[in-house]
Amino acid sequence: MKKSSAKGGLKFDTKWSYAPAPETPDHIQLKEKYDLFINGKFTAPSSKKYFDTINPATEKKIASVADANAADVDKAVTAARTAQQKVWSKISAAERGKYIYRIARVMQEKARELAIIESIDGGKPIRESRDIDVPLAAAHFFYYAGWADKLEYAFPGKKPAPLGVAGQIIPWNFPLLMAAWKIAPALAAGNTVVLKPAETTPLTALKLAEILQEADLPPGVVNIITGAGATGAAIVNHPGIDKIAFTGSTDVGKIIQKALAGTDKKYTLELGGKAANIIFEDAAIDQAVEGIVNGIFFNQGHVCCAGSRLFVQEGIAKEVIRKLKDRIQTLIVGDPLDKNTDIGAINSKAQLNKIKSLVQIGIKEGGECWQSDCDVPSKGFWFRPTLFTNVAQSSTIVQEEIFGPVLAIQTFRTVEEVIEKANNTPYGLSGGVWTDKGSKVFKVSSKLRAGVIWANTYNKFDPTSPFGGYKESGVGREGGLHGLSPYLKMY
Amino acid sequence: MATKTAIKNTSASTSKRLDVKKTYKIYIDGKFPRTESGRFYALKDTSGNVIANVCRGSRKDLRDAVVSNRKAQNDWSKRSAYNKAQILYRIAETLEGRKAQFIDTMMKEGYKESNAKAEVEAAIDLLVYYAGWSDKYIQVFSSVNPVESSHFNFSYPEPTGIVNVICPQNLALLGIISHAAPVIIGGNTCTLVVAEKHPLTAIEFAEVIHASDLPGGVINIITGYRKEFIAHASSHMDVNAIIYSDVDQEQRKTIQINAALNVKRVVDYSKEEALSPYRIMSCQEIKTTWHPIGI
């Protein structure tokens, strides 16, 4: 691996040392064993089975977590149905909203604890869980709380009504935030919930269950059950479910869409992506470089909307790649709890192996691979930030979602060419455009076939901002006004 | 003089004059080809007499149609809302002028005169209705989102892309217009698999759109047996959405299973009234754009 050096100014090839600045985990409250949260209580699983959740930065066990089987799913769905019919649909919409506000408030009070647990369980840097995941999750509850008693103003000409019981299956990359994206609009719309967090990151969802207890949310309104794929399948196939909300891979999304065929269940799917991040010659280069880094290395690249395909206009390609490498050399990979850390641990061994194997394919297919030579800890799952040049549209690493800190770089000459290349993918979740020219922003952003376009910025999220994909990146939107309708029947 | 003689000759032998029968072909890419398969089915009137040999379209026809839809989609979605509205309105105008022809054809296909008249008029009015939505649905269903950070953030609908439509079996003309108008006014292009018993109305409607400045490939019309199209229409990998309203339970399941191959949007129009902008929205994607505010 080559080392890079900058001419004049900052010397990036010297070792920068930072004193460790770890967040202390001593005040967090975790149990050794977590049961299933059904009907307002933690309940032992019928399966009698538990699995371990580990810290991907140390490979040490944090807690054991119940493995819900079909009988447990049935209990949770029954509890949700009863709560929907007897409680949640009976209280006034304003009161419903007030419960959701309460949840937001308790989350804010416990923000620091939640952030630390998120980083321990999932591997993401504390700076991100502290500044993005947790505050955004609370903000989602706060935003949707206010919709509960205003639904009749949301959809012109329609009378909205809840669907019933929503089954929600969420991924491991933003565990608490995804739980908030799913639960908040569902509750505001008057539904009750059975939520399954991912098997590698169940802890913040289980802490959320404690918060729901603390907020006095009526039993059964939200049920949180843990388990792996089989548990998810049992939720999808349960006849008592009215709606499935899934965030995860396109492969699993297709299996779910197929499984729901012939039923009356509604669904929203937030699936994979392979976003183009496009840098034009007239862009503010240094800002664009920051945007590229944020686009692909945010959350170790475990982001469905990651800017994993970089398109640089030919005239500036050399400069951008040089600056990018210099910048990447400064990124610190290591302890997720250290506030200096830029890139934390890869979420699981399985994911690390997947990233490694795709990078090997990239090299085998002729791609030129460059990696930062930063230090990584000896224990745990780590992957250095990685760039590929000399790749083509047909390269596996340009076509397939890697879900890791790996960027594929291509060049282009004209606007038409880059639009064609950017859209040449079955995915259509997000995209980035960097240029100082307003008219070019609007031309390119309106031509990209993707649900979220960041112009001169990247990876920004907000509860008021709809998120979701075109084509094989999913069906439906989450967030904002447009994220409400998938949880409503409209008359 | 020669013309006069010709008219005279014809009128003199009115009783013996042989009708010129029309060949009904399918409509793809602004042209009227025969089905690639060379197959036909005989359309019969209520007394069992053959009225026409109708194209029994094939998978290849559908694939050709989708290629043409894709080719037309970019230009069509770029047309201004005003232009799209005027073209839809133009279709209504052309249809109004051919009311008598459509009533006549629908009666051949088994309609009572009063029902045919009512349906043609409703269909014309529905076109005018959707023409009017062209420059309004985006306003009604867009939003500017008050994000916390210093960004200008807005969301608006864009066409999903290419839509295959399984038209209802029992409405010769209204079935087509109530299923195609919301789709194309939203900037999508579509291929219609039309009612087996009403192919003549469908192809005569193709002649109407052909004469109304609608670009080729925006609406393609294929006649044939529905059961032969269900699997192909729902499994085609370059189709973004599929609409139906009266398929049976088994066909519905087939469509939904196949749709998962490329995460197609599956839309049941029977769940939404004919006069509803939510029909348009069912084949729209919401795009959200962020831009920093600052210097």
Side-chain angles (χ1 to χ4, degrees), chain B residues 33-83:
Chain B
R34 283 199 172 79
T35 167
E36 166 280 340
S37 69
R39 303 178 305 173
F40 74 97
Y41 70 100
L43 184 73
K44 292 175 184 167
D45 64 16
T46 39
S47 7
N49 305 314
V50 174
I51 322 168
N53 293 319
V54 177
C55 288
R56 184 176 152 194
S58 65
R59 179 186 189 181
K60 179 69 166 75
D61 295 324
L62 189 103
R63 296 186 68 82
D64 291 344
V66 171
V67 168
S68 125
N69 284 148
R70 182 57 72 195
K71 215 170 64 193
Q73 210 271 324
N74 191 33
D75 168 68
W76 179 243
S77 66
K78 267 194 325 202
R79 296 284 183 110
S80 71
Y82 185 34
N83 183 246

Side-chain angles (χ1 to χ4, degrees), chain A residues 155-158 250 254 257-258 260-264 267 269 271 441-442 445-457 460-462 464-472 474-475 477 481-482, chain B residues 73-74 78 140-143 145-149 151 153-156 158-161 237 240 249 252-253 256-257 259-266 271-272 276 278 285-292:
Chain A
F155 304 101
K158 291 283 185 185
T250 291
K254 287 177 178 179
Q257 192 182 4
K258 195 173 163 187
L260 295 176
T263 73
D264 286 321
Y267 54 86
L269 305 171
L271 309 178
V441 165
F442 286 112
S445 64
S446 66
K447 290 282 192 122
L448 290 177
R449 302 287 296 154
V452 184
I453 308 295
W454 287 289
N456 294 319
T457 184
K460 292 283 182 286
F461 310 93
D462 194 276
T464 68
S465 177
F467 183 92
Y470 287 30
K471 301 195 278 185
E472 295 190 17
V475 180
R477 293 293 174 271
L481 169 62
H482 298 89
Chain B
Q73 210 271 324
N74 191 33
K78 267 194 325 202
V140 173
F141 294 101
S142 290
S143 61
N145 310 308
V147 295
E148 191 192 353
S149 55
H151 291 90
N153 175 304
F154 55 96
S155 302
Y156 62 92
E158 280 193 340
T160 296
M237 293 297 276
N240 304 103
Q249 180 60 21
R252 176 173 164 240
K253 193 168 177 183
Q256 291 175 339
I257 287 173
L261 289 168
N262 64 337
V263 197
K264 274 183 203 75
R265 284 78 177 116
V266 181
K271 302 226 159 112
E272 199 60 66
S276 166
Y278 291 91
E285 303 294 321
I286 297 297
K287 174 179 277 181
T288 298
T289 307
W290 293 69
H291 198 284

Side-chain angles (χ1 to χ4, degrees), chain A residues 38-173:
Chain A
I38 296 174
N39 208 23
K41 288 192 207 76
F42 283 94
T43 317
S46 325
S47 68
K48 299 200 171 67
K49 283 187 196 153
Y50 291 81
F51 59 92
D52 293 347
T53 183
I54 65 159
N55 179 341
T58 61
E59 300 177 54
K60 283 191 189 133
K61 175 181 166 180
I62 312 169
S64 30
V65 178
D67 189 3
N69 64 15
D72 296 312
V73 169
D74 188 55
K75 271 188 217 162
V77 173
T78 306
R81 173 68 60 198
T82 309
Q84 209 280 327
Q85 288 172 344
K86 301 210 165 134
V87 186
W88 203 234
S89 61
K90 295 284 192 283
I91 64 171
S92 76
E95 294 294 304
R96 212 165 67 216
K98 280 159 67 185
Y99 276 114
I100 307 170
Y101 278 122
R102 268 196 187 182
I103 299 167
R105 280 316 214 198
V106 184
M107 283 180 80
Q108 288 172 331
E109 286 160 11
K110 303 195 167 187
R112 182 167 167 179
E113 184 185 29
L114 289 167
I116 292 170
I117 296 172
E118 197 73 303
S119 283
I120 292 174
D121 201 20
K124 66 172 64 202
I126 186 72
R127 244 178 25 220
E128 291 177 11
S129 46
R130 182 193 66 194
D131 297 346
I132 297 166
D133 294 63
V134 176
L136 258 182
H140 258 84
F141 280 104
F142 203 88
Y143 171 77
Y144 278 110
W147 268 122
D149 57 358
K150 299 166 192 72
L151 297 173
E152 60 269 37
Y153 298 100
F155 304 101
K158 291 283 185 185
K159 276 211 165 101
L163 295 171
V165 177
Q168 307 182 319
I169 299 163
I170 58 170
W172 45 260
N173 56 344

Side-chain angles (χ1 to χ4, degrees), chain A residues 197-448:
Chain A
E199 65 269 31
T200 62
T201 55
L203 292 181
T204 45
L206 293 162
K207 289 303 284 185
L208 177 61
E210 294 174 1
I211 289 172
L212 302 177
Q213 284 180 322
E214 206 173 311
D216 288 326
L217 190 72
V221 172
V222 174
N223 303 277
I224 298 176
I225 56 175
T226 43
T231 312
I235 294 174
V236 169
N237 294 319
H238 195 289
I241 293 276
D242 299 299
K243 185 232 162 67
I244 290 291
F246 171 75
T247 297
S249 71
T250 291
D251 285 347
V252 176
K254 287 177 178 179
I255 292 168
I256 290 175
Q257 192 182 4
K258 195 173 163 187
L260 295 176
T263 73
D264 286 321
K265 292 174 195 167
K266 287 183 91 177
Y267 54 86
T268 39
L269 305 171
E270 300 289 353
L271 309 178
K274 194 73 191 177
N277 201 1
I278 302 168
I279 321 293
F280 286 100
E281 279 169 357
D282 55 8
I285 304 272
D286 291 339
Q287 284 176 31
V289 167
E290 287 306 307
I292 298 165
V293 168
N294 175 39
I296 185 62
F297 302 123
F298 174 57
N299 200 32
Q300 297 73 248
H302 301 327
V303 186
C304 46
C305 51
S308 52
R309 291 183 297 151
L310 177 65
F311 290 97
V312 191
Q313 203 160 15
E314 216 170 71
I316 52 163
K318 256 189 164 168
E319 183 189 0
V320 167
I321 293 167
R322 176 176 58 79
K323 287 190 163 175
L324 191 56
K325 286 178 177 175
D326 285 350
R327 180 68 181 88
I328 291 169
Q329 281 290 8
T330 70
L331 296 177
I332 298 170
V333 180
D335 182 6
L337 286 184
D338 191 322
K339 281 166 264 185
N340 293 320
T341 295
D342 297 299
I343 299 179
I346 299 300
N347 184 267
S348 65
K349 187 155 201 177
Q351 185 58 28
L352 180 61
N353 289 338
K354 188 190 161 192
I355 296 167
K356 282 180 177 166
S357 101
L358 278 161
V359 165
Q360 280 314 310
I361 291 171
I363 293 168
K364 231 183 247 169
E365 289 180 0
E368 202 171 298
C369 180
W370 178 94
Q371 272 186 328
S372 158
D373 56 6
C374 60
D375 297 327
V376 297
S378 53
K379 271 241 154 197
F381 313 132
W382 312 96
F383 202 81
R384 292 186 176 88
T386 302
L387 305 181
F388 269 97
T389 49
N390 198 30
V391 292
Q393 286 291 94
S394 56
S395 305
T396 304
I397 56 163
V398 171
Q399 286 295 321
E400 281 187 29
E401 186 177 36
I402 299 173
F403 227 62
V406 182
L407 179 66
I409 306 176
Q410 294 174 270
T411 59
F412 68 93
R413 287 183 182 172
T414 66
V415 175
E416 283 67 28
E417 178 194 353
V418 77
I419 289 167
E420 170 96 30
K421 283 179 166 172
N423 286 335
N424 181 9
T425 163
Y427 295 113
L429 187 53
S430 60
V433 186
W434 297 81
T435 167
D436 235 9
K437 198 169 180 195
S439 58
K440 207 187 281 174
V441 165
F442 286 112
K443 167 151 184 161
V444 177
S445 64
S446 66
K447 290 282 192 122
L448 290 177

